[in-house]
Amino acid sequence: MAKDDIVTIEDIIDKSSKYLTDEDTAFIRRAYEFAERAHAEQFRKSGEPYIIHPVQVAGILVDLEMDPETIAGGFLHDVIEDTDITLEGLEQAFNHEVAMLVDGVTKLGKIKYKSKEALQAENHRKMFVAMAKDIRVILIKLADRLHNMRTLKHLRPDKQRRISNETLEIFAPLAHRLGISTIKWELEDTALRYLNPQQYYRIVQLMKQKRNQRESYIDEVIDEVADQLKDVNIEAEMSGRPKHLYSIYRKMVKQNKQFNEIYDLLAVRILVGSIKDCYAVLGIIHTCWKPMPGRFKDYIAMPKPNLYQSLHTTVIGPKGDPLEVQIRTKEMHEIAEYGIAAHWAYKEGKQVNNKKSFEEKLTWFREILEWQNDTHDAEEFMESLKVDLFSDMVYVFTPKGDVIELPSGSIPLDFAFKIHTEIGNKTIGAKINGKMEPLDYKLKNGDIIEVMTSKHSYGPSQDWLKITQTSQAKNKIRQFFKKQRRDENISKGKEAVDKEIRALLFEPKEVLTNENLDRVNEKFNFSGEDDMYAAVGYQGITAALVATRLTDKLRATRQKEQDLVQTLEEVKTEVKNKKSPRGDSGVHVEGIDNLLVRLSKCCNPVPGDKIMGYITKGRGVSVHRADCPNVQTEEAKERYLHVEWEENQIDQKQYHVDLEISGYDRRGFLNGVLQAVNETKTNITHVNGRSDRNKIAIIQITILIHNTSHLRKIVERIKQIKDVYTVTRTLQ
Ligand code: MN
């Protein structure tokens, strides 16, 4: 069909009657009449009555030999969008199938493509297929787009570009996927004309220039092949292969080739009756002309993903130029041109009334695909059909119009986590097509999802793991919980460690220095403070152990101080518990036995001291040192009594002596003195210490000694202590 011709309803009836029953053609005519009434009074941008457009669309579908419902769908495809007709109205007037097809086309019309990103284009294409539910919806949509492209000149340049771009990104690839090359090529060529008119017209010019030359060359080749084929009795249809501007353009632009470097400008197509003949013809071609290495492709043994089958070879032709030859059966050619639509025609043939279900048709497709060795591409192709077949994917929009692909059954949360983890974590609700819906709402193709988030959200709830569909969302939710528990563990751990530190009578502040933390982290292989607290939090290590290690150094210092205090306490206790030996003074009074003798407390005489006795009223004899000031009085002299130490018991008895030590008041001074005394195995019964403003320490101790030489030893020992100024035996 020439693309500029306008087809009429009579043309369509004429064509369809060749493969449809009278009943079916009547059905088609009724669809036309219905559409004509609905669109009456409407006009296109071109000024033509609107009905011309649906008629052309139906015309394209008839050329593809589609079934009556699809053709009716072509006539009616715009009535829901552009007229008062409702879906219910259509279903009543025709049937559910027609209504469903028109509804599908209407929905596809609402998808607006704007992104140029490859992934987005792919998602859009998938969305089309998914939303279409029935491949025939796509076929109607492709026919619609084809006619719109044919009449694009009536639109504003910006619209021309937008629509052309969409055609190139979405519709031409879809046509290609479905194997409908005739539509694909025309869409591409027309889009190029609007997107890059300069290149388009340049290629048209170049093609024209050598057209006659090319055509006579092709004729020469065809004649020669025909001669050869006659000899072997093979019937064939041969023609020069039509050129497609867009594919030439792509080769020039993408592969950076000159126009005359493009091989397939010279191409011959040979159609034969059988696969056997295909290979026979190939042999003949290769005998006539030398094949170019690496240019032979056997798409019969290995069909392309869209089921294209053919033999391709390039030979050095009669005039020394590369010549491309395509050899295929007529059936293969039908598929090459009409793709999935050709299968329809072939499988259904004249018995369209005996409809098979859509699934059955695609099962057949699948079988074909399974024969293919090129599994990767075959899978890809199945993938694009599968979304429709098994509807395991759902395609939805972001508010900005990006298409997001999700497994079917997905909910707004799956969508949110697919967009961004943080969005997922902070999700509190979702608006679907502008309306608030619950978080477990099942997404539908074409839904526009607006995720509501809140900074104050506490994050995912455990339920989300049950309701989300995608593993991506589930993983991210699990990660959140893991991380959240870590945060919890850290604060729990910190609390526990602080508590233990306080139990050790330290302030966490003084303990948690970088130095202490680093030391402990290194010891236990923690990567940092948080790591350590987290470990305590999940009880990988006890808080007590961590606190103990953290306070190692501080405790060592404090232990020393405590040890000193303890020594002092022990000395005091020891002295308290011991019986004072004063009852037995060890002093012998000349001439008097068993006289009560008391050693005076004022001067504390010890064996070795010069002593004198002094008789007190009713309290026996008081013994003083000879130099004691208290006995230098007149009264004492009157009562003087000669006394002396009992020699044999000297070492068994102990006597109190008061010493006063002065020295520089430094830390540990007192302890030094006490230790020195202790080292001489001398008991201390009383200690008193003070220091004055000049940092002079005065220590008064009372010790128990045996005699003056013992005392001297002690005094000498004390004097050796650093910073001791004086040691004095004091009187009380
Ligand atoms: Mn339309």
Side-chain angles (χ1 to χ4, degrees):
M1 183 191 92
K3 51 184 167 180
D4 293 332
D5 291 351
I6 299 285
V7 295
T8 63
I9 176 62
E10 298 313 326
D11 294 333
I12 288 171
I13 295 298
D14 201 33
K15 281 183 186 175
S16 63
S17 63
K18 286 179 185 148
Y19 71 96
L20 294 180
T21 62
D22 290 349
E23 199 187 329
D24 288 335
T25 48
F27 180 79
I28 290 172
R29 189 185 286 279
R30 196 156 62 81
Y32 161 75
E33 284 161 358
F34 189 98
E36 197 192 25
R37 275 196 306 278
H39 287 297
E41 313 296 313
Q42 286 181 352
F43 296 91
R44 299 200 88 206
K45 281 274 189 321
S46 60
E48 297 165 323
Y50 194 90
I51 189 64
I52 286 186
H53 165 65
V55 171
Q56 304 318 300
V57 171
I60 292 165
L61 293 166
V62 168
D63 283 341
L64 295 175
E65 299 195 351
M66 294 307 297
D67 60 301
E69 278 75 19
T70 309
I71 296 164
F75 281 122
L76 298 163
H77 79 270
D78 277 333
V79 296
I80 291 184
E81 184 66 16
D82 296 340
T83 75
D84 297 334
I85 308 293
T86 63
L87 206 53
E88 294 71 29
L90 263 191
E91 190 161 346
Q92 275 172 17
F94 296 92
N95 57 35
H96 176 71
E97 212 174 330
V98 170
M100 187 268 297
L101 291 173
V102 173
D103 184 44
V105 176
T106 307
K107 279 178 179 155
L108 290 192
K110 292 190 173 132
I111 301 176
K112 290 279 175 279
Y113 172 76
K114 50 190 172 179
S115 167
K116 271 193 137 179
E117 205 190 316
L119 180 71
Q120 275 300 305
E122 177 58 23
N123 277 347
H124 266 268
R125 290 195 289 269
K126 286 184 182 172
M127 182 180 210
F128 261 79
V129 178
M131 282 188 75
K133 292 202 179 83
D134 189 320
I135 288 279
R136 290 175 299 174
V137 171
I138 302 270
L139 294 173
I140 298 171
K141 192 64 201 169
L142 284 173
D144 177 42
R145 176 53 57 112
L146 184 58
H147 184 247
N148 283 338
M149 288 303 285
R150 285 175 183 172
T151 55
L152 201 57
K153 63 178 176 228
H154 303 291
L155 299 187
R156 288 203 317 260
D158 60 318
K159 281 196 170 181
Q160 288 174 345
R161 295 187 62 82
R162 185 184 66 73
I163 292 170
S164 293
N165 187 52
E166 186 181 62
T167 298
L168 216 47
E169 300 281 346
I170 307 295
F171 292 95
L174 274 177
H176 176 67
R177 284 274 171 91
L178 299 176
I180 313 168
S181 343
T182 51
I183 290 183
K184 177 206 164 194
W185 285 323
E186 192 181 339
L187 288 176
E188 284 178 344
D189 286 358
T190 319
L192 179 65
R193 190 168 126 205
Y194 291 99
L195 288 173
N196 197 340
Q198 213 182 338
Q199 284 293 328
Y200 176 86
Y201 288 110
R202 185 172 155 247
I203 295 167
V204 168
Q205 266 319 108
L206 288 164
M207 299 270 292
K208 255 187 204 161
Q209 277 169 17
K210 296 195 173 173
R211 189 177 187 162
N212 289 339
Q213 195 186 328
R214 245 183 4 249
E215 281 177 354
S216 66
Y217 182 74
I218 295 292
D219 287 345
E220 197 182 318
V221 170
I222 288 175
D223 284 348
E224 188 159 350
V225 176
D227 280 351
Q228 300 273 346
L229 291 185
K230 210 179 280 172
D231 291 349
V232 290
N233 234 346
I234 292 175
E235 273 186 37
E237 282 174 29
M238 287 185 277
S239 59
R241 188 188 149 219
K243 307 300 169 293
H244 300 289
L245 296 169
Y246 186 71
S247 73
I248 294 169
Y249 166 79
R250 271 176 62 98
K251 281 176 182 161
M252 288 172 72
V253 171
K254 300 269 161 79
Q255 297 175 24
N256 201 19
K257 281 187 173 161
Q258 293 298 311
F259 183 75
N260 54 15
E261 283 179 290
I262 296 167
Y263 297 142
D264 56 6
L265 287 175
L266 286 172
V268 175
R269 180 174 291 149
I270 304 171
L271 306 182
V272 293
S274 69
I275 291 177
K276 199 184 88 200
D277 286 354
C278 289
Y279 289 100
V281 171
L282 177 75
I284 287 164
I285 299 287
H286 281 180
T287 316
C288 290
W289 300 289
K290 193 175 154 48
M292 282 176 73
R295 298 281 304 178
F296 172 65
K297 301 251 167 58
D298 186 351
Y299 294 121
I300 291 178
M302 280 191 280
K304 284 189 179 182
N306 61 11
L307 308 180
Y308 175 89
Q309 285 186 296
S310 189
L311 296 176
H312 288 192
T313 187
T314 303
V315 296
I316 307 298
K319 284 180 185 159
D321 293 322
L323 168 77
E324 195 190 74
V325 183
Q326 298 182 343
I327 308 160
R328 58 178 82 138
T329 66
K330 285 168 196 159
E331 285 195 5
M332 289 175 191
H333 184 61
E334 286 287 313
I335 292 167
E337 298 281 295
Y338 302 115
I340 196 169
H343 287 295
W344 234 284
Y346 274 116
K347 286 309 276 185
E348 306 306 318
K350 306 271 190 269
Q351 31 161 341
V352 195
N353 287 328
N354 180 21
K355 286 186 203 77
K356 288 178 182 167
S357 74
F358 184 64
E359 278 75 12
E360 276 177 80
K361 285 172 196 163
L362 281 155
T363 304
W364 185 77
F365 254 87
R366 186 201 254 288
E367 282 168 9
I368 294 246
L369 287 161
E370 278 168 1
W371 297 340
Q372 295 181 198
N373 295 326
D374 194 354
T375 48
H376 175 71
D377 281 349
E379 269 170 24
E380 198 183 21
F381 178 59
M382 271 318 289
E383 202 59 41
S384 67
L385 287 178
K386 214 172 74 181
V387 287
D388 171 54
L389 256 182
F390 310 109
S391 55
D392 58 354
M393 284 296 182
V394 64
Y395 298 87
V396 295
F397 287 108
T398 66
K400 283 183 181 169
D402 287 341
V403 179
I404 303 296
E405 180 188 55
L406 290 163
S408 75
S410 289
I411 60 170
L413 285 170
D414 293 301
F415 174 88
F417 279 103
K418 178 123 185 176
I419 300 294
H420 198 281
T421 309
E422 270 311 289
I423 292 178
N425 284 340
K426 297 286 179 192
T427 297
I428 51 165
K431 273 188 188 172
I432 314 293
N433 306 320
K435 185 173 159 251
M436 281 302 292
E437 295 283 358
L439 282 177
D440 61 355
Y441 167 93
K442 295 268 183 290
L443 299 179
K444 294 182 187 69
N445 278 315
D447 279 346
I448 301 168
I449 324 282
E450 192 185 336
V451 176
M452 324 293 287
T453 59
S454 165
K455 273 185 206 162
H456 308 296
S457 156
Y458 289 114
S461 77
Q462 288 286 349
D463 292 350
W464 291 13
L465 282 171
K466 287 179 211 141
I467 60 176
T468 47
Q469 199 66 29
T470 58
S471 52
Q472 187 184 23
K474 286 183 197 294
N475 284 340
K476 286 177 171 180
I477 293 164
R478 279 195 206 99
Q479 265 169 31
F480 175 88
F481 285 130
K482 212 169 146 194
K483 186 171 173 292
Q484 192 202 37
R485 272 198 289 272
R486 181 176 158 83
D487 290 347
E488 264 173 26
N489 279 334
I490 288 172
S491 63
K492 226 161 65 185
K494 172 142 182 59
E495 213 171 283
V497 170
D498 282 0
K499 198 175 153 195
E500 287 296 330
I501 288 172
R502 290 202 175 90
L504 292 170
L505 301 173
F506 288 102
E507 270 307 303
K509 235 188 198 173
E510 62 174 327
V511 174
L512 299 172
T513 60
N514 287 337
E515 192 201 331
N516 286 337
L517 288 167
D518 288 350
R519 191 164 36 79
V520 172
N521 285 337
E522 199 181 333
K523 188 176 172 69
F524 294 112
N525 279 326
F526 293 129
S527 67
E529 201 177 337
D530 284 353
D531 208 18
M532 178 188 86
Y533 288 134
V536 175
Y538 65 74
Q539 293 170 346
I541 188 169
T542 65
L545 179 56
V546 169
T548 306
R549 291 285 87 87
L550 280 170
T551 53
D552 271 348
K553 286 197 164 178
L554 285 164
R555 278 184 302 108
T557 311
R558 192 165 66 183
Q559 191 57 49
K560 279 185 192 162
E561 285 170 9
Q562 278 178 341
D563 286 349
L564 295 184
V565 172
Q566 203 177 350
T567 310
L568 201 56
E569 291 302 316
E570 276 170 8
V571 168
K572 284 180 179 170
T573 316
E574 209 177 308
V575 170
K576 257 186 213 163
N577 294 341
K578 277 187 181 165
K579 288 256 168 19
S580 169
R582 283 180 191 228
D584 190 1
S585 65
V587 174
H588 170 75
V589 183
E590 193 185 30
I592 312 162
D593 281 328
N594 301 322
L595 187 72
L596 182 59
V597 173
R598 196 170 52 88
L599 296 177
S600 92
K601 283 177 188 166
C602 62
C603 57
N604 283 332
V606 301
D609 282 335
K610 281 190 173 170
I611 49 175
M612 55 161 288
Y614 168 77
I615 302 160
T616 60
K617 285 179 184 164
R619 286 190 293 155
V621 176
S622 173
V623 175
H624 291 256
R625 270 151 54 185
D627 56 357
C628 177
N630 294 334
V631 289
Q632 309 304 325
T633 58
E634 285 302 310
E635 191 194 357
K637 280 175 185 166
E638 280 177 15
R639 303 183 187 188
Y640 173 79
L641 191 70
H642 179 78
V643 291
E644 54 186 55
W645 299 102
E646 285 173 3
E647 280 178 34
N648 53 346
Q649 289 177 22
I650 274 177
D651 285 334
Q652 271 102 56
K653 294 197 169 75
Q654 292 191 316
Y655 302 87
H656 286 86
V657 168
D658 296 313
L659 290 177
E660 186 176 280
I661 301 119
S662 74
Y664 174 64
D665 184 22
R666 61 166 165 83
R667 200 184 169 132
F669 182 72
L670 167 64
N671 186 51
V673 171
L674 296 178
Q675 267 186 338
V677 175
N678 262 344
E679 275 163 25
T680 63
K681 299 216 166 70
T682 303
N683 289 325
I684 300 167
T685 63
H686 179 82
V687 179
N688 186 30
R690 61 187 158 88
S691 68
D692 68 9
R693 270 179 225 153
N694 304 316
K695 296 279 292 180
I696 301 209
I698 307 291
I699 298 167
Q700 291 164 331
I701 56 172
T702 304
I703 52 177
L704 289 170
I705 60 154
H706 301 292
N707 50 43
T708 47
S709 70
H710 181 193
L711 178 61
R712 231 180 350 265
K713 244 166 53 191
I714 292 166
V715 170
E716 285 311 314
R717 179 71 192 80
I718 293 172
K719 277 183 173 170
Q720 283 162 18
I721 296 168
K722 191 169 166 266
D723 296 324
V724 168
Y725 299 151
T726 58
V727 183
T728 323
R729 188 173 175 189
T730 49
L731 299 168
Q732 289 208 331

